[in-house]
Amino acid sequence: MTLRNNTLPEIRRGKLKAILKQGNLVRVMEAHNGLSGIIANNLKIEGQSDGQPVTREFDALWESSLTDSASKGYPDIEVVSFDSRLQTISEILAVTSKPLIVDGDTGGDPNNFEYAITRLENAGVSAVIIEDKVFPKRNSLEDGAQQTLETPKIFANKIRRGKQIQITDDFMIIARLESLIAGRSVEDALFRAREYLLAGADGIMIHSKSKEPGEIFDFAKKYRALLKELDLERPLVCVPTTYNKVTEDELAEAGFNVAIYANHLLRSAYRAMMKTGKNILIHQRSFEADPYCAPVRDIFKTVGFLDVKEKDKQDQTNTNIPVVIPAAGEEIRLKDVLNGKPKAMLDVAGKPLLHRQVALLNKNNLMDVTVVTGYGAEHVRAEGCSLVENKDYKKGTLLNSIFAARDKLEDGFVLLYSDILLESHIIAKLMACEEDIVLAVDDSIQYHKNESGHYIDFVASKKWNLPSRRKISFVYENDVARIGKKINSDNATHEFMGLAKFSKTGAERFIQTYQDCVQNYEGRLHEADDISKLSFTDLIQEMIDREFTVNFMEVHKGWIEVHYPEDIELASKLFKSENP
Ligand code: SPV
Ligand code: MG
């Protein structure tokens, strides 16, 4: 079900009258279920006519008794109950916004008809067309089928009762003349038209199964004269199924206001279904049937599945995405300052570094935070966070700590190293990225390329990255080519900050690649001497080498990391001035 065409009954109901007022021929397409309803509602062609741009679409929908019954596997003989018809009508109304005209068959007896009117008007249907035959009618198009016409007075009374029961002025009851179908004359039809108009009919439909439009053109001419005589304006409807060479312009010229393409979507679907089925039986596979089948994605698009996918993706990126902070390692360089505590609990201007990180994440609606502890685990306190311990933190790398929080990774996650502090907008910007893996990287690398490189994670962009005064950088265009501490720093364009976001797909591939490496590799891989020492950046490089696109989001300063005592001093200074 697509939500794109959502509307309300009171908004839709009056639309048919409004379109009729515009004076052009109203083009109506049949629908027999939700899918055909969406097609009839949304189909639009654009092109040129006489050098002018034109768009063309259907103005309204026809809920046909023939195609509704046939879709359910029944003949069109009023054997499908009104409730079952109403089910189809509701299906169509739920996914469309254009006016709906319902084929009311004979309308049943006047009491039945009153209930039908009430329910149709209530649902937002714009018009019902009832035919002047005796219940249970037979479809009009089959030669030789029994066609019993109703007595005009009885039928006129049914219309009168219907008009009295409807509540709004928007709803239309249109009388359908079956004289020509039953082999009677144009004069018989005209006589009936007069009766029905006088009973209050909002319009007339003249039906014919002739291959030529002569008889309905004749009727149209005389109908105009009748309207003039009665001093009425009432639209004239036709169903050009058999006389299908006649153009819309010719129908309008002849005085018709509405043309209904009454069964064409079902008939074309039927032919394609038959061809498809036969081809599969002949070839014993479906390849040859493919030309008759729409791509599955077209159907997904039509029924709104792609919209759902997009919204899921947005939800995933914006709320409840878990954050994993690997904080298990021991920081040798800060041994004297830490006194057995992990770096995450280091005091920065009166608050542990980890608490500053959590506050920042929470500010960006990231409430599901998991901290992976190891060294000094007993010292870690973080309100509202889950703690997971990596007891083997001495053996592996930060990657092992990430995987200690394995069940937080699967649906996508944010990775934040435990030793960085950053401005809030960087997180917000990262959350808005839709790519599968996005690494936050700093482009001020030119200032410290030559610093001791043993803990800078260099990143080399696939695109040549010229430092320039002004630029715009789109994440989807920014592909990482190489990442690691040991890549040639001359080629490095950025520095990985220790912040990354993984979509569900990105996380799935990250986990798969890790499992494959651990299970099937031995010895060196990228910068790891041994598979047990595989680092986060090694795994990312491996994914890139396996042709998975890893994007980067460019940041220019706005963050710090803590490795040395002087970093703590700087951090404390910066955060003191933030909170005087
Ligand atoms: C229908 O579409 O069900 C109609 C039109 O009533 S016809 O089948 O031509 O009678
Ligand atoms: Mg019908």
Side-chain angles (χ1 to χ4, degrees):
M1 170 175 171
T2 178
L3 299 173
R4 293 198 172 189
N5 299 329
N6 200 13
T7 183
L8 294 169
E10 53 272 31
I11 293 176
R12 184 203 305 251
R13 204 187 294 114
K15 280 186 184 175
L16 182 63
K17 272 199 170 173
I19 299 172
L20 279 164
K21 253 197 195 137
Q22 291 168 8
N24 302 320
L25 184 81
V26 177
R27 187 186 290 126
V28 184
M29 177 46 95
E30 164 262 331
H32 49 275
N33 57 17
L35 180 62
S36 57
I38 301 173
I39 292 173
N41 193 88
N42 294 5
L43 200 64
K44 188 184 272 187
I45 57 159
E46 283 169 359
Q48 291 231 328
S49 178
D50 296 333
Q52 296 297 315
V54 279
T55 60
R56 227 169 260 157
E57 56 191 287
F58 296 104
D59 304 302
L61 316 176
W62 168 245
E63 201 277 334
S64 145
S65 69
L66 163 61
T67 65
D68 188 358
S69 308
S71 300
K72 291 170 174 150
Y74 288 100
D76 182 18
I77 54 168
E78 290 190 281
V79 67
V80 173
S81 71
F82 181 68
D83 270 341
S84 174
R85 293 286 307 280
L86 204 56
Q87 174 61 36
T88 308
I89 292 164
S90 311
E91 236 178 63
I92 297 168
L93 290 173
V95 292
T96 59
S97 56
K98 290 187 174 167
L100 182 65
I101 306 171
V102 166
D103 174 356
D105 289 325
T106 61
D109 83 345
N111 295 303
N112 277 266
F113 188 48
E114 282 183 350
Y115 282 102
I117 296 285
T118 309
R119 296 180 76 182
L120 295 176
E121 186 182 23
N122 211 286
V125 169
S126 300
V128 64
I129 301 186
I130 50 167
E131 58 194 277
D132 58 353
K133 289 199 299 225
V134 172
F135 175 89
K137 68 92 206 259
R138 301 289 182 253
N139 182 272
S140 309
L141 297 176
E142 177 62 19
D143 278 342
Q146 175 190 317
Q147 303 291 349
T148 316
L149 293 188
E150 184 57 279
T151 311
K153 287 261 175 286
I154 293 179
F155 192 72
N157 181 50
K158 188 156 40 182
I159 291 170
R160 201 171 292 112
R161 291 269 302 268
K163 285 309 291 177
Q164 279 163 5
I165 210 76
Q166 76 176 66
I167 294 173
T168 68
D169 228 18
D170 297 336
F171 190 77
M172 300 173 76
I173 299 176
I174 297 173
R176 160 172 165 176
L177 309 172
E178 290 282 296
S179 303
L180 304 177
I181 296 291
R184 305 264 187 104
S185 62
V186 167
E187 273 60 39
D188 182 74
L190 267 174
F191 171 77
R192 287 165 176 269
R194 173 191 292 270
E195 291 285 312
Y196 306 155
L197 288 172
L198 291 175
D202 296 293
I204 292 290
M205 169 180 151
I206 177 71
H207 202 14
S208 157
K209 61 179 166 58
S210 166
K211 280 201 171 324
E212 301 302 328
E215 59 185 17
I216 60 144
F217 279 6
D218 184 21
F219 176 85
K221 202 165 145 210
K222 293 172 176 158
Y223 178 70
R224 287 292 138 208
L226 174 65
L227 287 182
K228 211 165 174 194
E229 181 200 323
L230 300 177
D231 194 20
L232 285 174
E233 272 187 42
R234 296 286 184 268
L236 185 58
V237 182
C238 64
V239 180
T241 303
T242 48
Y243 47 96
N244 58 6
K245 284 200 181 129
V246 67
T247 65
E248 291 172 1
D249 282 348
E250 286 164 346
L251 289 170
E253 178 68 21
F256 285 95
N257 308 93
V258 179
I260 300 178
Y261 297 98
N263 43 44
H264 297 78
L265 294 187
L266 182 78
R267 282 165 56 205
S268 52
Y270 177 83
R271 177 163 282 183
M273 287 194 274
M274 292 297 279
K275 278 192 174 157
T276 300
K278 279 184 191 165
N279 262 290
I280 292 175
L281 288 176
I282 293 166
H283 300 283
Q284 297 181 65
R285 61 177 192 181
S286 66
F287 176 77
E288 288 75 10
D290 252 13
Y292 311 109
C293 299
V296 176
R297 204 157 192 275
D298 285 3
I299 293 170
F300 286 171
K301 190 168 174 215
T302 300
V303 300
F305 181 50
L306 300 188
D307 295 340
V308 170
K309 190 180 121 185
E310 196 52 42
K311 285 184 205 170
D312 281 350
K313 211 168 161 186
Q314 273 166 17
D315 280 355
Q316 214 180 45
T317 52
N318 295 336
T319 50
N320 284 335
I321 182 166
V323 182
V324 176
I325 304 178
E330 181 182 356
E331 181 59 272
I332 308 288
R333 287 167 289 232
L334 292 172
K335 209 173 170 73
D336 298 342
V337 196
L338 288 168
N339 281 330
K341 282 196 285 186
K343 196 157 58 168
M345 295 310 288
L346 194 79
D347 186 275
V348 175
K351 225 187 199 177
L353 199 159
L354 176 63
H355 293 191
R356 290 196 175 275
Q357 288 190 318
V358 173
L360 182 78
L361 293 167
N362 291 172
K363 191 173 160 191
N364 283 280
N365 280 330
L366 296 164
M367 312 305 277
D368 181 2
V369 181
T370 300
V371 182
V372 183
T373 63
Y375 174 77
E378 65 283 9
H379 295 283
V380 179
R381 305 267 177 283
E383 212 177 302
C385 298
S386 313
L387 301 182
V388 174
E389 192 172 345
N390 172 14
K391 286 204 161 60
D392 283 338
Y393 71 90
K394 279 193 181 132
K395 286 195 206 143
T397 68
L398 175 141
L399 189 61
N400 299 79
S401 290
I402 297 173
F403 276 91
R406 168 82 163 70
D407 56 342
K408 289 288 178 184
L409 308 183
E410 272 157 24
D411 292 329
F413 65 100
V414 170
L415 170 69
L416 175 64
Y417 285 5
S418 67
D419 54 8
I420 71 165
L421 285 168
L422 59 161
E423 291 169 9
S424 175
H425 67 90
I426 297 176
I427 305 262
K429 187 174 165 191
L430 182 70
M431 294 318 292
C433 294
E434 290 183 354
E435 291 69 21
D436 284 323
I437 299 185
V438 184
L439 308 182
V441 301
D442 190 302
D443 72 347
S444 46
I445 189 83
Q446 68 267 27
Y447 304 118
H448 47 229
K449 252 188 191 176
N450 301 323
E451 281 174 18
S452 57
H454 44 272
Y455 57 82
I456 293 184
D457 287 325
F458 291 116
V459 167
S461 165
K462 245 184 208 167
K463 257 188 348 194
W464 176 239
N465 188 72
L466 207 59
S468 59
R469 207 163 107 80
R470 300 198 202 286
K471 76 175 166 186
I472 295 179
S473 161
F474 295 107
V475 173
Y476 65 86
E477 288 182 337
N478 293 339
D479 290 5
V480 177
R482 298 205 52 75
I483 184 166
K485 293 177 173 41
K486 297 179 194 161
I487 67 173
N488 185 345
S489 62
D490 290 340
N491 298 336
T493 51
H494 300 85
E495 175 185 5
F496 173 52
M497 293 163 48
L499 172 68
K501 182 163 146 286
F502 291 71
S503 72
K504 187 173 167 51
T505 309
E508 278 169 3
R509 287 292 290 271
F510 180 74
I511 296 168
Q512 275 167 13
T513 314
Y514 176 71
Q515 284 170 338
D516 183 50
C517 289
V518 171
Q519 281 161 15
N520 301 318
Y521 282 72
E522 273 181 13
R524 277 194 74 81
L525 187 59
H526 302 296
E527 296 179 359
D529 292 336
D530 181 88
I531 204 70
S532 67
K533 293 281 181 242
L534 195 71
S535 71
F536 173 73
T537 53
D538 291 328
L539 185 55
I540 293 291
Q541 186 63 59
E542 181 62 17
M543 290 180 76
I544 296 167
D545 292 355
R546 293 183 187 198
E547 316 241 300
F548 194 88
T549 301
V550 175
N551 294 94
F552 62 83
M553 178 191 88
E554 217 166 38
V555 165
H556 186 71
K557 302 192 184 175
W559 66 290
I560 51 170
E561 58 185 339
V562 177
H563 289 296
Y564 291 105
E566 54 268 32
D567 297 333
I568 307 172
E569 264 171 54
L570 174 65
S572 296
K573 224 196 268 165
L574 290 172
F575 281 90
K576 244 195 206 105
S577 59
E578 170 217 42
N579 293 321

